[in-house]
Amino acid sequence: MESAPKVNILLIDDHPENLIALEAILEGLDENLVKAHSGAEALRCLLHQDFAVILLDVQMPEMDGFETATLIRQRERSRNTPIIFLTAFGVNDTMLFKGYTLGAVDYLSKPIDSVILKSKVTVFVELFKKTLEVKRQATELKSMNSELRESEEKFRALSACSPIAIFLTDTEGKFTYTNPNCETFYNFQIGESWEEGWGKCICLEDRDRVLADWLRSIRCEQTYSSEFRICRTDNSLCWVHVRTSVMFSDNRQLLGYVGTIEDITERKQAEIVREQMIREQTAREEAEVANRMKDEFLAIVSHELRTPLTSILGWSKQLLTRQLNPTITNRALETIERNAQSQARLIEDILDVSKIIRGKLQLQIEPLNLITLIEALLETLRPQADAKAIQLESIFHPQVEIVCGDEQRLRQVIGNLLSNAIKFTSKAGRVEISLSMAVGNEGQGGHGGHGG
């Protein structure tokens, strides 16, 4: 810790040996000893310095001790400085009265008793130091009070200008301060409890929840944050975001709560509009997807309907010529019947459009012979190939056996491949379809291809 600054002690005597003696007695105090050889010199010292005590010799030439004391008391700076008179002559009542009238605190006769002098000076030095400390503390307190008043004024100015409602409550939840926004829009009154203040303006649907949460935060000395609806003084219903923070003293003692109320009605309305726009956009996107799926479905359906119809028309035209032998006629009739049944099944699938759109169409898996299926398709499409003089060739692996699959879907896939091959092959061309074992797989499958 830093040592306290030294204080000044003024020694006034016209005899240097007396000043030396005084200095020797008081040097143990470790204070600043200022020596003056006359009253005039002492007055000059008092112009710029403050002294804890003045030791003043009564008998001095030109200006004695009483005259010097009179001038010392006339100055504002030294008016209350303690003076101890020192005299080598006897002290009578007249001198005592005159000295005390001039503000003397004591008389000491020479030769000076060092113990008495030192003890008396020590008392006035300690008193001076305490007086300085009191003045310092008073100055600091004044400065702190000034800063506090300035801080309070700034808070009130900011609070009054703030667009957000601000309030303070004590530890029991009673309002101790509300800014103009609190009073104007929510009619919170000083001294009201939180139940009275909140209870009269919270929307009925939110009231129980808000009051319960608010009470819980107060009991647990926790911060609070929530959004709810409030009915303002003009009876308009608005959304608010309320926040409160706990206020503690330096020793962590609960002082109360500071809170804010922010009107978030516009944000809530914007969120509602945004959610509605998102829902509308999602609905549009779902409708667009459904339309695309419908278009794709119609394109596939038109192709699927055309394939068996082409075969039926082709064989029908040949039957109308009445130039076919009985064997070919029976084959033609069988082909027409088979394609008519295929088209009937396809129409049944078309009628169940909702299942196809939702992707819930189930496959009918059963054992089937791919060679028989492909040969039947070739017979179905042969009139279409003969019309363009296209040669149809098939190559089947001898080890291909029964496989598991959906016969109708495989018929559609393979039929589409063959139909496209015939369609995009030049006249007098060749279309080849081959079926082989899938290498590396435990199961068996087919591989189809076409050329022209």
Side-chain angles (χ1 to χ4, degrees):
M1 296 179 60
E2 296 182 359
S3 59
K6 294 182 179 181
V7 301
N8 300 319
I9 301 174
L10 182 57
L11 311 177
I12 309 170
D13 200 304
D14 58 322
H15 295 287
E17 63 274 14
N18 291 338
L19 291 176
I20 293 174
L22 292 174
E23 190 175 19
I25 295 172
L26 300 176
E27 64 181 355
L29 299 179
D30 195 26
E31 303 296 347
N32 186 30
L33 303 177
V34 180
K35 294 176 289 186
H37 298 84
S38 64
E41 185 179 353
L43 293 174
R44 285 194 295 271
C45 292
L46 288 164
L47 288 175
H48 307 293
Q49 292 176 291
D50 292 323
F51 294 89
V53 63
I54 300 173
L55 303 182
L56 176 58
D57 185 30
V58 176
Q59 288 80 25
M60 290 189 300
E62 298 180 359
M63 185 187 301
D64 64 15
F66 294 126
E67 292 174 331
T68 303
T70 301
L71 294 174
I72 289 174
R73 287 292 178 254
Q74 290 177 355
R75 295 184 176 182
E76 183 65 30
R77 186 166 189 169
S78 57
R79 178 171 295 170
N80 298 314
T81 304
I83 299 175
I84 298 177
F85 282 115
L86 306 177
T87 179
F89 301 97
V91 180
N92 54 42
D93 292 342
T94 303
M95 291 180 64
L96 287 174
F97 178 77
K98 186 175 182 180
Y100 287 129
T101 301
L102 294 173
V105 295
D106 209 345
Y107 267 97
L108 292 179
S109 300
K110 299 177 183 179
I112 303 298
D113 187 318
S114 61
V115 176
I116 294 175
L117 177 63
K118 190 173 182 179
S119 64
K120 290 181 179 293
V121 170
T122 299
V123 170
F124 291 113
V125 167
E126 292 300 323
L127 180 61
F128 183 79
K129 289 181 177 180
K130 291 180 179 179
T131 302
L132 288 179
E133 178 63 19
V134 170
K135 288 181 179 180
R136 185 189 66 79
Q137 292 179 357
T139 301
E140 289 184 355
L141 182 59
K142 182 179 180 180
S143 177
M144 292 173 60
N145 288 335
S146 177
E147 292 178 359
L148 181 60
R149 285 193 298 271
E150 183 179 351
S151 177
E152 289 179 351
E153 187 61 30
K154 287 181 179 179
F155 170 76
R156 292 183 184 278
L158 290 173
S159 176
C161 297
S162 173
I164 297 177
I166 302 174
F167 63 89
L168 301 176
T169 71
D170 59 16
T171 56
E172 296 179 354
K174 291 184 177 181
F175 296 110
T176 58
Y177 169 79
T178 57
N179 75 336
N181 266 334
C182 263
E183 299 170 2
T184 302
F185 295 113
Y186 310 110
N187 197 28
F188 290 175
Q189 301 296 323
I190 301 297
E192 278 185 330
S193 68
W194 57 271
E195 291 177 324
E196 296 170 341
W198 291 117
K200 65 186 180 184
C201 61
I202 299 177
C203 178
L204 185 60
E205 297 176 0
D206 302 334
R207 186 174 301 167
D208 292 341
R209 172 183 62 85
V210 172
L211 294 181
D213 292 346
W214 175 259
L215 179 60
R216 189 181 305 110
S217 69
I218 288 182
R219 288 177 176 173
C220 299
E221 298 181 4
Q222 296 176 342
T223 59
Y224 173 82
S225 178
S226 182
E227 296 179 356
F228 50 87
R229 291 164 294 177
I230 272 185
C231 184
R232 302 201 297 191
T233 53
D234 59 359
N235 294 325
S236 62
L237 194 65
C238 66
W239 276 93
V240 294
H241 186 181
V242 176
R243 303 180 184 89
T244 63
S245 296
V246 187
M247 296 187 296
F248 291 105
S249 63
D250 293 338
N251 59 357
R252 299 299 296 172
Q253 181 180 1
L254 179 64
L255 298 177
Y257 300 85
V258 57
T260 60
I261 308 174
E262 181 184 2
D263 190 336
I264 58 171
T265 305
E266 292 184 1
R267 175 168 68 82
K268 282 291 185 179
Q269 292 175 345
E271 290 177 356
I272 294 174
V273 172
R274 180 173 175 274
E275 291 175 358
Q276 183 177 355
M277 292 177 62
I278 292 175
R279 288 196 297 269
E280 293 177 353
Q281 182 178 358
T282 302
R284 285 196 298 270
E285 291 176 353
E286 292 176 351
E288 292 174 357
V289 170
N291 287 333
R292 284 196 300 270
M293 293 178 64
K294 189 182 297 182
D295 293 341
E296 293 173 0
F297 171 75
L298 292 176
I300 294 173
V301 166
S302 63
H303 189 277
E304 295 294 333
L305 288 173
R306 190 181 301 113
T307 299
L309 185 60
T310 301
S311 179
I312 292 172
L313 291 174
W315 282 108
S316 298
K317 288 180 180 179
Q318 293 191 37
L319 288 174
L320 290 173
T321 61
R322 303 182 184 277
Q323 297 178 359
L324 301 178
N325 58 43
T327 302
I328 296 177
T329 299
N330 289 335
R331 184 191 305 170
L333 292 174
E334 291 174 357
T335 302
I336 291 172
E337 181 185 9
R338 187 168 55 250
N339 281 277
Q341 292 176 352
S342 175
Q343 195 168 35
R345 287 193 299 269
L346 186 58
I347 291 174
E348 290 178 0
D349 291 339
I350 293 173
L351 294 177
D352 198 6
V353 175
S354 61
K355 288 185 179 181
I356 298 176
I357 293 177
R358 293 195 304 270
K360 294 184 178 181
L361 189 64
Q362 296 181 352
L363 297 177
Q364 301 296 328
I365 305 300
E366 57 185 356
L368 58 92
N369 191 317
L370 282 178
I371 295 177
T372 303
L373 187 148
I374 294 172
E375 288 177 344
L377 288 171
L378 288 174
E379 290 299 323
T380 300
L381 296 172
R382 192 171 300 280
Q384 183 179 348
D386 292 343
K388 297 178 63 176
I390 293 175
Q391 183 181 356
L392 297 178
E393 296 182 4
S394 59
I395 303 175
F396 302 133
H397 194 282
Q399 295 182 352
V400 173
E401 297 179 357
I402 302 298
V403 299
C404 290
D406 187 314
E407 181 179 359
Q408 179 60 26
R409 305 309 166 202
L410 287 173
R411 185 183 301 276
Q412 291 174 351
V413 172
I414 298 172
N416 287 336
L417 289 173
L418 288 172
S419 178
N420 287 336
I422 295 172
K423 179 178 180 181
F424 296 103
T425 298
S426 303
K427 289 184 178 181
R430 184 175 65 89
V431 171
E432 178 184 296
I433 181 170
S434 63
L435 177 66
S436 60
M437 297 289 294
V439 180
N441 291 337
E442 294 180 358
Q444 296 173 335
H447 169 73
H450 67 270

